[in-house]
Amino acid sequence: MTVSTTAGWYLRRLSRMGPLEVAGRAGDTVRRRRWRAEPPDCPAVTGARFTAVLPAGTIAAIPPDAAKRLVAEADRLMDGHAEFFGVARDDLADPDWWWDPKTGRRAPGGYAFDVPYRSEDAAGDIKQIWEPSRHQYLTVLAAAYAITGDERYAGRVAGHLRSWWAVNPPLHGVHWISGIELGIRLLSWVWIRRLLDGWAGAAGLFEDNPVARNQIWHHQRWLAAFPSRGSSANNHVIAETAGQFAAACAFGWFPSSARWRTDALRSLDRQLRANTFLSGLNRELASEYHGLVLELGLAALAEADAADVPVPATVRLVLLRMTDALAAVVDDRLRPPRQGDADDGHGLVVDGAGTDRWGSLLATGEAVFGRLDWWPAVTGTDVRTPLLTALVRPYAKARPSSKDQPYAQVQPPSGNGTAPAVTRPASRPAHFADAGMTILRSPAGIWCRCDGGPHGFLSIAAHAHADALSVEVRHDGVDVLADPGTFCYHGQPEWRQYFRSTLGHNTLQLDGADQSVSGGPFLWTRHARTRVLDTDTSDEGTNSWCAEHDGYQRSVHRRRVELTSATGELRVIDEVRGPRRAARLAFHLGPAITADLVENRAVLTWTRDGENRSAVLDLPGQLDWRAHRGESDPPLGWYSAGFGRKEPATTLVGTGFADSTAEFTTVLGFRD
C-alpha cells in the first residue's frame, strides 16, 4: 500500500474539505453503489451524423516540415515503438491496455471504483497504464492519415479503438476511475473522427457503431455524474469539462447532449476563471499545467466555434490573458519557468517529435488573438495551429493599454458570445503580483524567475512544491541555477518528497524542515505564506525583487535578488529574522553545468551552440560548502527533464547557522 492510501492520509485529506465538498463526495459514493447494482443503459440512437469536419483547405495549410515530423512519428508508432515517461515500449502495435511495462504488473479488473489504483504493488504505475489510453498517439496516426491519405494509419486507429472498447466496457477496470482520463480521451476521439473524415470506414467506426456510441455516451454520463469538486477542482476539472463539451458538440447524438453541452460550457467558463489569476497565470503555479489548461481551453473553443455554439466572452478573455502571460514569462528560447509539478500532460497531440510545445501554443495564440509587439518571435512550425485555427474565430481587435490596466474592457460584452474588445499590456509584463512571480532579465541573456507567490491552489495545493523564495536562473535558455523538476507522482515516495522539498529548490532551509508541511503526495496541510515587499523591473540599471515568508515558525526568511542589466551579475541576499537555527542553503545547477568548487567559490562551465561559456558563483563564506551529485540515500543532486526521467546534476549545499545577525550573500557573475 502506498503512503497516499493510509488511514492517516484519508483523515488529513478530509480535513482540507469544506462541507459542500464532503456532501458532494458522499453523494458520489451513493451514486457509485447504485451504478454497481444497476448500470445505466445507453439510449437508442438513429440517424447519427458527424458534421464537425475541418474546412476545405485546412490540411493543405500544414507546413511541410511539421507534416514530415508528424508522419515520421506516425511511422514509429506503426512499428510499435513509443515512449511514455522515460519508458520505451515496442509493443504498441498490439498493446495490452492494462499492463505497466515499468513494473511488469497488470492492473486488476472488476468494478472501476474498487480498483486500488493508488497502490503500485497492486496495479502497477498507474500513469504508465493510463497514458496510452488517452489515445493521443491515435490522434497522431489519424493526422498522418489526413495528411497522406494512407489507409494503413486509419486501419491501425480503428483496430486499436475497437480493441480498447472491447476490453474496457463501461465502469469496468482501471480506465474508468479518473475523470481527467475520460475527458482527454473524449477530446482525442473527437479529433480522431474529424481527422479520419475522408476515410470510408470513419462512420462505421463511430456514429454507425453501437459500441462506439455506447462508450461515448457512458463517458459523458460519467463526467456529468462525478465532476472534480472543491479542493480537487484544479486542472482535472478543466480537462473533464473541455472533453465533455467537445463531445457534446461533435457527438451531439443523444437526448442529454444539449444539457451536457450547456452544463459543461457553464462549468468550463467558471472553472477557467477560478483556475486563472487576473494576470493570466494559472493558479496552480505549475507551469506545465498552465500549458495543459490553455491547450484544453483552446480545443474547447474550437469545438464551440465549429458547432456555432455561443461562448461566454469570459472564456475567450481568460484564454487571451493566459496566452499573453505565457508570452511574457518564457525565456529567450521560449521555455517557461520550471515551477511546481509537471507530468508532461497534453490536451491535444497532433504533432511529431521535435515540435516545440510552447512555440506551438504561442503560434496558436498569435493566430487566434494576434501578437503584441513585445511578444517573442516564434520561428518553428506545427500541425496543431492550422488545425485549431481553421475552426476558431479570430478574437476581436485589441487595443494597446497602459501598463497598469491591462485587459480592461473598452466595450461591454455583446451578449451573443462574441468577445469584447479589450486592452492588452503595452509592454512585456515582468511582475505578476497576484501570482507572486517576477521575471528579471538583462540584455546579456540572463533570465531569472523569483518566487514570492502563494504556496499553491486550493486547500490541498496538490501540485505545489515547498519552494518559497526560490530562484531559477538561465543564460541564453540554459539552466544555470535550475529548478530540479518533478520526476514522479506515485510509487516512489522518497523521490516524490525530494523533488518537491525545500532542499530540492534554490532557497534556504532551516532545521532540516520544509517551509510547508506535506500530508501526502498531493496534499499540503500547512502552507507557507509569502509576500513580495518590493520589485523594480525597469529596463535600465539594476532590477530587483524582495520577498519574505513565514514557513519557519518563530523565524522569517527574507530574500533580495538584484540583477545588473549591463553585466548580468546576479546578487542574492538572504536574511533570517529569529532565533539561531541550523541552516542549509542549496543551489541546484542544470545538467549541462560543470562545477569546480574550491571553498566558497564555484567556477561553472558549459557549452551552448558549440561555444564554451562560464560563470563564477561566489557563495556565502559563513557556510561550509559541498558539492553533491547523483546521491540516492537520501536523494540529492538530481535534475528531472520530464516525468519519469532523472539524471545526475550538481547541487551545491552550504551548511551552518542562521539568526538575526547573519546575512548570506551569493553573487553569480557571467563571463564573456
Side-chain angles (χ1 to χ4, degrees), residues 44-97:
V45 172
T46 58
R49 293 291 178 266
F50 183 84
T51 59
V53 298
L54 289 169
T58 299
I59 300 301
I62 296 173
D65 58 332
K68 183 178 180 180
R69 289 195 304 272
L70 169 71
V71 172
E73 180 70 12
D75 288 341
R76 192 167 73 96
L77 292 168
M78 290 292 288
D79 290 337
H81 302 301
E83 181 179 306
F84 299 109
F85 309 132
V87 177
R89 297 186 62 161
D90 58 8
D91 64 327
L92 221 62
D94 184 20
D96 181 339
W97 301 107

Side-chain angles (χ1 to χ4, degrees), residues 209-232:
N209 181 0
V211 175
R213 294 198 305 266
N214 185 56
Q215 285 275 349
I216 292 167
W217 183 85
H218 273 282
H219 272 66
Q220 293 187 83
R221 183 179 174 88
W222 193 108
L223 290 170
F226 302 113
S228 293
R229 61 180 83 246
S231 57
S232 293

Side-chain angles (χ1 to χ4, degrees), residues 451-474:
D451 182 357
H455 174 62
F457 183 47
L458 301 174
S459 62
I460 63 173
H463 291 297
H465 289 187
D467 57 358
L469 308 194
S470 64
V471 295
E472 186 182 1
V473 181
R474 300 175 190 161

Side-chain angles (χ1 to χ4, degrees), residues 253-274:
W253 309 324
F254 309 104
S256 298
S257 291
R259 174 171 57 83
W260 286 338
R261 184 168 56 245
T262 299
D263 291 348
L265 181 57
R266 183 184 300 116
S267 176
L268 182 66
D269 177 30
R270 182 174 65 252
Q271 297 300 340
L272 278 173
R273 286 184 279 120

